[in-house]
Structure formats: structure tokens, C-alpha cells
Amino acid sequence: MIKCFIITQILCVMAVGLTAQEANHSHALGTSMQFPNIPGYLTLKCDFHQHTVFSDGEVWPSIRVREALMDNLDAISLTEHLEYQPHLGDIPHKDRNRSYQIALREAKDHALIIVRGSEITRAMPPGHSNAIFIEDANKLLFNDYKDAFKEANKQQAFVFWNHSYETPKNDNISFLYDANKQLMDSNLVHGIEIVNTHTYSKEALQIAYDRNLTLMGTSDVHGLIDWDYKNGPQGHRPITLVFSKDRTQENIKVALFDHRTIVHYDNTLIGRDSLLIPLINACLNVKKAFYEPKSLVLSVLIENKSSCDFILQNLSEYSLIESTDIIEIKGNESITLHFRTKEKINKLNWLFTVLNAVNAPNSHLSMNKLISIN
Ligand SMILES: [Zn+2]
Ligand SMILES: [Zn+2]
């Protein structure tokens, strides 16, 4: 009760004291995450895999909404297990859409988007999969898993394979079984979690690239977000950044089918070059590049417009004064880099590796940024 009161108070301050714009840029709210938009698309922060007491989670759906607001998320889905309902004796419910309905009511005065979803929960293979943007969870209950996948697709759901590394061998290595291949070949599965909870799977990332699947990262939270993540080494829950034309469910779904995602996990961005480059370009904004009078040292002021701390490796021919080749630019902070350019130059085509951007298994993104010097 006391906890709820405190959370309500914080949310009231957020709603009354700040405009939506200001709230987006506040640093003080929970684990609030921020990412700038990229040319042509909004950058939406989403967590499409969560549980409540309506399956094996430990909280009421309204708490999931409040946690998402604290984290500054744009869209969530409460994906209760269809086939695993351990709290049914205490919380009987016939309608498998209840947690969605309660979350929707809680979110009604906020911009947070609630997507209807469910977790198709079967032994591996095919393992667990989430179906989101479904119309009715009750209609997904079947004996044969294939019927559940077919019905989800009939409802035009986006379906992704969860924690694929949870194999019967217990080796934590994602493996594409025939059952999974068949679902993918039939176009009944469209994405794969490369991150779930505290696990990143490079094998899952490779499967995503081999099978042309959408990259997903989710919290799969059962307890409390703050307990599991804010106090943990990662400091924030895993999320999927979705690059959408607008804030409608329709276009978020289009973006997911079009593979327009980056996973944000453990202060790292994981995704395809085509999206990592514009996102990191938008995050690292060069505010000023100049020479002090009578100096041959180039000053470049860079502001980080995201909550992600970036770790860069300088690959340019010019060395840096204060740093080795490794530079850290903290989230929401600015830094001035000093390059030894030997003579005055008019522009710098700065080449660097983003050590905390993964574009393929064991590979980090290298990119360049064209900097004009005034
Ligand atoms: Zn699961
Ligand atoms: Zn789950």
C-alpha cells in the first residue's frame, strides 16, 4: 500500500509538474530510458514480454504499466502463459484477456501503448513463443501447438521465438530444431529473442540473420523491474527499440514485420548496420568543432542525446589528447574531444568503432561521422 502510494505520488509529479516533453528528458524518474528519433522514424522503446499474476508473475497488471511509465517506455505487452497458470486457484479467471484489459484501463490517461499478447508455452521444441497484436487470447488454446501458431497468424499476430537457448541439453546454446524450422518455413514465426532477461544469445542472433527474423529483446519480468534490473549489473531492463512511422499499433506492427528493431541490453545496442548507424548518429550530436586561436588542436564538442553510455574506439589518423584510443561518452552528457590534427583542417571524417554496438556475433560496428569545422 505504501509502495503504491509513493509510486502514485511520483507519477503525479510527472503528470502535473512537467510537460510530456520535459518528462521525456528528465533524468530523475526511475530507470528512465531515452533515445532520439532517426530520419523518417520515431524510436519507440518497447518491452513485449512480461508476466503478471494472470500467469506465473507476481504482480497485478497495473504495476506493469507504472513500471513502464517509470522507465519511459512507449509500448508494452503482458504475455501471460496460455498453458501455465499456477495462480488459478487464488485468482480464477476464464478470460485470458484480463491482464490486457486491466493494463489498458490503467494506461488510459497516458501515452503508453498496451499491445494484446500471449505466450504459447510448449516444451522445446518448439519451446515458448510470444504472439502479440492478437485479437483474442482465448482462441489460442489448442492441444496441438501448430494450431495455436496458425490461429495467432489468422489473427494477424506478430510471433517471436522466446529464450531459444533453453534447450533440453541445458547447454544454453540456441539450436534450430526441425519443429522451429517448419514454423519459420511456413512463415508462422517472424522474430526471435536475442536477449531475454539476463541472457544474450549470439547463436540466436545468427539464427535471426540466417532466417531473416526480427531481433527482439525483452525483460520477461515476473517479479519487479526495479528489483531485477535497476539494482542489477545491467541497470536497466532489456528493451526492443522499434523504428515506427508513428505511435500507432498498426505501424509498430508494420515496423516489426519489416525487421526495424534494435535491442538495447546491458548498455549495448544490438542490431543491423542499417539502423545502428542512423541511431548512433542521432545519439552522438556534434554541437561544435573549432580551433582555439593560435592552436592546432581541434576541439569537438559532442552531446550524447540518449541514456546509453557509449564506448568508442578512435580509428582516425589523429590521436586524442586526454584519452587513449578508447573514449566513453556517458548518457545524457557532453564531452569535448581534442584531436592533434598537426595542421588546420576544414572537416573531419571521423572513423570510430562503437564497442558497445554489436552488429553480428562477435562483431562491433565501425562507422564514420562527417564533422564540419567552423
Ligand atoms: Zn517463456
Ligand atoms: Zn515468459
Side-chain angles (χ1 to χ4, degrees):
M1 203 60 189
I2 290 169
K3 264 188 198 160
C4 291
F5 176 74
I6 292 168
I7 291 172
T8 310
Q9 289 298 95
I10 293 168
L11 293 177
C12 283
V13 170
M14 185 177 145
V16 176
L18 303 170
T19 65
Q21 190 71 7
E22 283 167 335
N24 271 337
H25 295 284
S26 168
H27 305 175
L29 294 169
T31 43
S32 175
M33 287 183 269
Q34 288 120 35
F35 284 93
N37 298 325
I38 65 170
Y41 298 113
L42 300 180
T43 304
L44 302 181
K45 301 166 292 296
C46 310
D47 184 0
F48 291 131
H49 189 169
Q50 303 186 53
H51 296 274
T52 77
V53 289
F54 285 89
S55 59
D56 59 343
E58 293 165 82
V59 307
W60 196 251
S62 54
I63 298 298
R64 291 285 175 249
V65 171
R66 295 177 195 187
E67 287 175 326
L69 293 170
M70 297 282 280
D71 279 0
N72 197 26
L73 299 191
D74 298 286
I76 61 168
S77 187
L78 305 183
T79 48
E80 311 299 353
H81 295 287
L82 286 166
E83 299 86 349
Y84 183 50
Q85 297 266 311
H87 301 317
L88 209 53
D90 292 313
I91 305 167
H93 59 281
K94 279 195 186 132
D95 186 355
R96 299 310 186 84
N97 300 293
R98 279 305 289 150
S99 84
Y100 163 76
Q101 290 159 355
I102 295 166
L104 197 63
R105 193 175 61 209
E106 179 69 21
K108 77 175 168 33
D109 297 327
H110 302 280
L112 182 69
I113 295 165
I114 312 293
V115 173
R116 196 192 303 245
S118 268
E119 183 164 8
I120 302 169
T121 311
R122 304 296 173 120
M124 187 78 95
H128 300 189
S129 293
N130 275 358
I132 57 173
F133 301 97
I134 55 172
E135 288 161 7
D136 184 357
N138 299 311
K139 291 185 180 160
L140 297 177
L141 289 160
F142 288 96
N143 288 330
D144 186 340
Y145 74 84
K146 287 178 196 144
D147 293 328
F149 280 86
K150 279 181 200 156
E151 173 61 28
N153 277 270
K154 202 174 128 195
Q155 294 185 20
Q156 298 184 319
F158 175 82
V159 182
F160 58 98
W161 188 15
N162 301 340
H163 43 77
S164 53
Y165 50 83
E166 286 185 3
T167 62
K169 278 168 125 181
N170 268 329
D171 55 2
N172 206 268
I173 295 175
S174 298
F175 179 78
L176 205 49
Y177 294 88
D178 285 342
N180 304 105
K181 283 184 192 163
Q182 281 159 16
L183 288 169
M184 288 169 192
D185 290 342
S186 314
N187 204 24
L188 297 175
V189 170
H190 320 107
I192 181 170
E193 285 181 344
I194 57 162
V195 168
N196 172 293
T197 321
H198 302 290
T199 302
Y200 157 67
S201 170
K202 71 167 191 175
E203 291 82 12
L205 180 59
Q206 192 58 55
I207 291 171
Y209 284 167
D210 292 344
R211 307 290 301 203
N212 201 21
L213 299 170
T214 302
L215 309 179
M216 305 295 290
T218 70
S219 72
D220 196 0
V221 68
H222 289 71
L224 290 169
I225 285 288
D226 273 12
W227 185 267
D228 288 355
Y229 294 104
K230 196 181 170 187
N231 295 323
Q234 287 132 18
H236 67 91
R237 73 168 98 190
I239 55 169
T240 306
L241 299 175
V242 178
F243 301 92
S244 175
K245 285 218 183 298
D246 57 32
R247 297 182 59 89
T248 61
Q249 296 219 17
E250 192 188 347
N251 274 318
I252 293 173
K253 189 162 98 173
V254 168
L256 288 172
F257 275 105
D258 202 22
H259 316 304
R260 269 185 264 127
T261 63
I262 285 176
V263 171
H264 178 44
Y265 167 66
D266 193 18
N267 194 52
T268 299
L269 296 169
I270 311 162
R272 295 170 162 95
D273 284 4
S274 56
L275 291 162
L276 280 174
I277 291 169
L279 180 66
I280 292 166
N281 251 321
C283 290
L284 299 179
N285 178 43
V286 175
K287 289 195 86 172
K288 220 161 44 164
F290 61 98
Y291 287 94
E292 296 285 2
K294 295 182 187 165
S295 170
L296 292 178
V297 172
L298 172 65
S299 303
V300 180
L301 174 60
I302 300 172
E303 70 168 335
N304 182 351
K305 295 174 88 173
S306 78
S307 54
C308 180
D309 303 333
F310 282 100
I311 302 157
L312 312 180
Q313 183 176 22
N314 176 34
L315 300 180
S316 100
E317 61 191 286
Y318 307 122
S319 65
L320 291 157
I321 294 183
E322 289 90 350
S323 321
T324 62
D325 57 334
I326 305 297
I327 310 146
E328 184 174 10
I329 308 182
K330 292 263 185 208
N332 298 305
E333 289 186 11
S334 295
I335 189 173
T336 302
L337 301 177
H338 297 104
F339 291 90
R340 297 180 179 98
T341 59
K342 298 175 195 159
E343 55 190 40
K344 282 197 178 183
I345 53 173
N346 297 327
K347 54 184 176 234
L348 170 66
N349 194 9
W350 183 31
L351 191 64
F352 55 92
T353 298
V354 186
L355 294 174
N356 60 327
V358 171
N359 57 359
N362 304 326
S363 168
H364 302 281
L365 173 82
S366 290
M367 58 182 279
N368 61 304
K369 208 167 170 64
L370 195 60
I371 300 170
S372 315
I373 298 155
N374 344 92

